[in-house]
Amino acid sequence: MPDTILAPPPPPPAPEATLLDSNELVINMGPQHPSTHGVLRVILKLDGETVLGAECVIGYLHRGVEKIAENRTYQQFAPYVDRMDYVAAVSNGLGYCMAVEKLLDVEIPERAQAVRVILAEINRIASHLLWLGTHALDIGAITPVFLCFREREEALKIFEKYCGARLTTHAFRIGGLQYETHDTFEKDCLAFCDLMDEKLKEYHALLTGNRIWVNRTKGIGILNAADCKDYGVTGPVLRAAGEKWDIRKAQPYSGYEKYDFDIPTAENGDTFDRYMVRMEEVTQSCRIVRQAVEGLPAGPIKGKIGKVIKPPPGEAYVSIEAPKGELGYYVVSDGSLNPYRLRVRPPSFVNLGALDKMCRGSLVADVVAIIGTIDIVLGEVDR
Amino acid sequence: MANPINTFLLTDLLKGLWTTFKNQKPSLVVTEQYPRERPPVMERYRGAPRLNTHPETAETLCISCNLCALACPEQLIVVTSERNPETRRKDLTNFTYDTSRCMFCGLCEDACPVDALELTQDFEMATFTREGQIWDRQMLEEGPLPTEYRH
């Protein structure tokens, strides 16, 4: 293992002479480790149980999505974005469609915008539920994963009923929506919000006061607001550090300015605060869904857009608040049927950059908690 | 947590255990015993492709316009046709659909102007060979054979 891959660690205290005198140990965590949420390999430099540094090795799931985009038409690329962050496919589809719509300069009907908001928020809840289940499982609580997956199933049923797929939804099309909402759409969404409000109490009963959970999360993986900004970390990790930044409020898109909701924040920026922020975000998402369903306007679901999408030459960048942070799509058009260049700014990849900073000085067992708390999806990190 | 009595009496842990225990009721079990019972999929589910035929004449609805093949991101649809000298129309000769490369995005279904190509509610499409995944016209029109399980 070459020494250059890790920044020089702080000088360890003078060791007592031992037989082997091997104070530093470099080990691999992953890519087969079940707690790395996929195929993430972390090289850890250890002094006993203390982590001196961590380096991520990524690329095991690289599919070259950005290059694929250059060989597909604008409509044909839309299903591929679902395969990046596959637990929040709707948000990915929303970001991509909005970027192309910005290039085309097309107006989206209000009904389509409201349905987009409803589905994106339900997807945020589903993503946070999966995060909560697996994060608690990493730390050692097994019950939450079963309860979370039970509720996530209801969210996936709404997607399946609306657009025909549970995970890789392909729910939105450029210019609006493909599918009109089904008869029980509003009822299903409201029932899901009521269910979530009720079940959140169960999660709080299981975890929030639990002494094992508190001891494993409080003061672990602290990242303050200044460091978050330095690393470009966004999403719940930034909000848990006390920064009130949410793209839905800062640069409202798709009609988010019409809904009344709060941005949950915390102070310490540790793992427990990120847990509380995400739990509160679920409540806020339920609020948005309720408002959007009640004020769902009638009207067309697709804007004035031709069968062939041929944007004028130019470029567009659109960023949205995905469940994991700021998700950006940058599309360059040369006036042909295919994008000239497409670049994704994935929140998981950027947030993963802060892993080394958060891990230093903590114990090996806490690395598992820290990887879980930044909520990464490797499909999005590697693309 | 701050209350030492609660700490001593394990209230926080018992609260969690009670939540777990409450969910053990048999009426709350949501596990589906697949394949003994098959979950109903939704109406809009995008599953196995089907090439629709006219319900009375059993003639194919496909007009060989090739729009589905152009819409497909993976270019897995091949439509072959020949010009009928009498009607001056294209007659479908074969239609292959490579389900092994399909991601069931539904773009072909949306592109079809006559609702001939459709993604159905069938989802059991496993075969023992890679060639078996490439469906020809006959397979697309008749649909996959229903799977039987013997226990």
Side-chain angles (χ1 to χ4, degrees):
Chain A
M1 200 60 64
D3 269 352
T4 50
I5 56 163
L6 294 171
E16 291 172 23
T18 55
L19 191 63
L20 292 170
D21 203 23
S22 57
N23 290 300
E24 284 177 13
L25 182 67
V26 177
I27 61 160
N28 278 313
M29 188 171 159
Q32 286 92 9
H33 195 285
S35 292
T36 54
H37 292 238
V39 280
L40 172 69
R41 176 176 164 216
V42 185
I43 304 169
L44 293 173
K45 204 170 201 179
L46 305 175
D47 178 15
E49 275 281 301
T50 315
V51 178
L52 299 177
E55 173 144 342
C56 299
V57 181
I58 58 168
Y60 291 94
L61 210 57
H62 178 68
R63 290 152 296 176
V65 167
E66 290 172 9
K67 192 69 190 169
I68 289 174
E70 295 169 21
N71 300 311
R72 300 283 185 274
T73 64
Y74 286 93
Q75 293 108 320
Q76 282 180 350
F77 183 64
Y80 288 89
V81 297
D82 294 347
R83 276 127 183 110
M84 278 189 272
D85 182 359
Y86 39 79
V87 294
V90 177
S91 298
N92 278 269
L94 178 60
Y96 172 70
C97 288
M98 277 172 51
V100 180
E101 283 153 11
K102 193 175 173 187
L103 264 181
L104 288 165
D105 198 17
V106 62
E107 187 85 8
I108 308 303
E110 283 201 350
R111 182 177 174 81
Q113 287 192 353
V115 173
R116 282 177 171 192
V117 166
I118 294 169
L119 289 175
E121 290 306 317
I122 291 176
N123 204 171
R124 184 185 312 275
I125 298 173
S127 170
H128 282 352
L129 282 174
L130 186 123
W131 163 81
L132 178 66
T134 51
H135 182 44
L137 191 67
D138 290 345
I139 290 182
I142 297 180
T143 316
V145 75
F146 300 118
L147 302 189
C148 289
F149 268 63
R150 184 185 61 192
E151 271 76 74
R152 182 169 171 262
E153 186 70 25
E154 298 301 318
L156 298 185
K157 269 183 192 159
I158 291 176
F159 295 142
E160 191 189 348
K161 210 166 182 182
Y162 172 69
C163 61
R166 290 155 52 86
L167 214 58
T168 48
T169 48
H170 195 203
F172 308 139
R173 302 292 196 276
I174 295 157
L177 307 168
Q178 176 68 26
Y179 309 105
E180 185 52 81
T181 57
H182 51 264
D183 297 340
T184 56
F185 181 73
E186 288 94 341
K187 210 179 82 193
D188 289 351
C189 293
L190 291 176
F192 177 67
C193 291
D194 294 342
L195 178 81
M196 277 321 298
D197 280 351
E198 183 195 325
K199 297 293 179 189
L200 271 176
K201 289 178 197 143
E202 274 189 11
Y203 307 149
H204 279 299
L206 274 173
L207 292 174
T208 308
N210 189 302
R211 67 186 71 184
I212 305 169
W213 178 260
V214 171
N215 286 341
R216 285 296 307 273
T217 53
K218 272 219 165 133
I220 304 297
I222 293 174
L223 197 67
N224 58 35
D227 285 336
C228 281
K229 284 179 191 164
D230 287 351
Y231 282 93
V233 169
T234 47
V237 184
L238 176 65
R239 290 193 280 277
E243 194 69 31
K244 211 165 182 167
W245 174 259
D246 190 315
I247 310 235
R248 289 175 293 173
K249 283 269 192 209
Q251 306 160 9
Y253 55 90
S254 196
Y256 267 110
E257 65 276 4
K258 285 183 285 190
Y259 308 116
D260 177 34
F261 63 100
D262 302 327
I263 308 172
T265 52
E267 283 162 11
N268 301 323
D270 59 3
T271 305
F272 186 79
D273 279 1
R274 289 189 275 270
Y275 156 73
M276 289 308 278
V277 163
R278 287 199 177 98
M279 295 290 266
E280 186 55 31
E281 269 185 25
V282 172
T283 317
Q284 297 301 327
S285 291
C286 285
R287 266 179 79 187
I288 299 175
V289 171
R290 283 207 185 91
Q291 291 169 40
V293 167
E294 274 157 22
L296 193 62
I301 54 166
K302 201 146 192 185
K304 289 191 180 67
I305 195 162
K307 281 249 172 198
V308 179
I309 290 178
K310 217 171 172 181
E315 55 187 46
Y317 178 78
V318 165
S319 62
I320 65 162
E321 186 72 28
K324 293 166 181 64
E326 179 186 339
L327 171 72
Y329 277 92
Y330 176 65
V331 188
V332 183
S333 164
D334 59 351
S336 68
L337 287 169
N338 305 348
Y340 177 74
R341 175 82 172 90
L342 188 131
R343 154 91 186 143
V344 191
R345 189 252 187 231
S348 298
F349 174 70
V350 180
N351 291 4
L352 189 62
L355 181 72
D356 176 48
K357 173 88 183 165
M358 291 155 91
C359 281
R360 290 206 178 188
S362 61
L363 302 177
V364 178
D366 293 334
V367 175
V368 168
I370 293 167
I371 292 173
T373 192
I374 49 179
D375 193 13
I376 48 164
V377 163
L378 267 295
E380 194 180 38
V381 173
D382 297 341
R383 304 196 291 294
Chain B
M1 280 299 285
N3 191 342
I5 300 167
N6 282 351
T7 315
F8 183 71
L9 291 176
L10 306 171
T11 340
D12 52 324
L13 297 180
L14 290 174
K15 204 169 140 195
L17 275 177
W18 174 242
T19 310
T20 313
F21 182 73
K22 264 196 309 189
N23 284 294
Q24 303 296 311
K25 247 177 35 183
S27 64
L28 295 176
V29 172
V30 288
T31 312
E32 282 164 351
Q33 296 297 332
Y34 183 83
R36 208 179 304 144
E37 53 181 77
R38 311 232 168 151
V41 291
M42 301 301 173
E43 199 181 331
R44 291 177 182 173
Y45 184 81
R46 303 194 294 259
R50 181 176 67 200
L51 204 54
N52 288 331
T53 51
H54 196 281
E56 286 162 14
T57 57
E59 278 178 6
T60 184
L61 293 177
C62 178
I63 53 169
S64 318
C65 63
N66 212 31
L67 281 177
C68 50
L70 291 173
C72 180
E74 287 291 329
Q75 284 123 37
L76 53 85
I77 300 174
V78 178
V79 185
T80 43
S81 60
E82 58 184 23
R83 181 76 68 181
N84 190 332
E86 290 168 18
T87 56
R88 307 296 300 158
R89 278 191 187 161
K90 279 188 193 167
D91 282 353
L92 185 70
T93 49
N94 200 2
F95 192 107
T96 59
Y97 192 109
D98 187 351
T99 56
S100 66
R101 279 156 58 204
C102 183
M103 57 177 164
F104 305 100
C105 60
L107 282 173
C108 54
E109 190 182 29
D110 298 343
C112 187
V114 289
D115 289 341
L117 189 62
E118 191 183 335
L119 296 180
T120 59
Q121 278 85 20
D122 289 326
F123 53 87
E124 292 173 330
M125 302 164 68
T127 56
F128 286 100
T129 56
R130 284 176 185 241
E131 291 74 27
Q133 303 249 290
I134 303 172
W135 290 15
D136 59 1
R137 183 181 170 184
Q138 187 194 358
M139 183 84 166
L140 284 165
E141 285 179 351
E142 289 168 7
L145 293 173
T147 321
E148 281 179 32
Y149 295 99
R150 298 186 193 89
H151 299 286

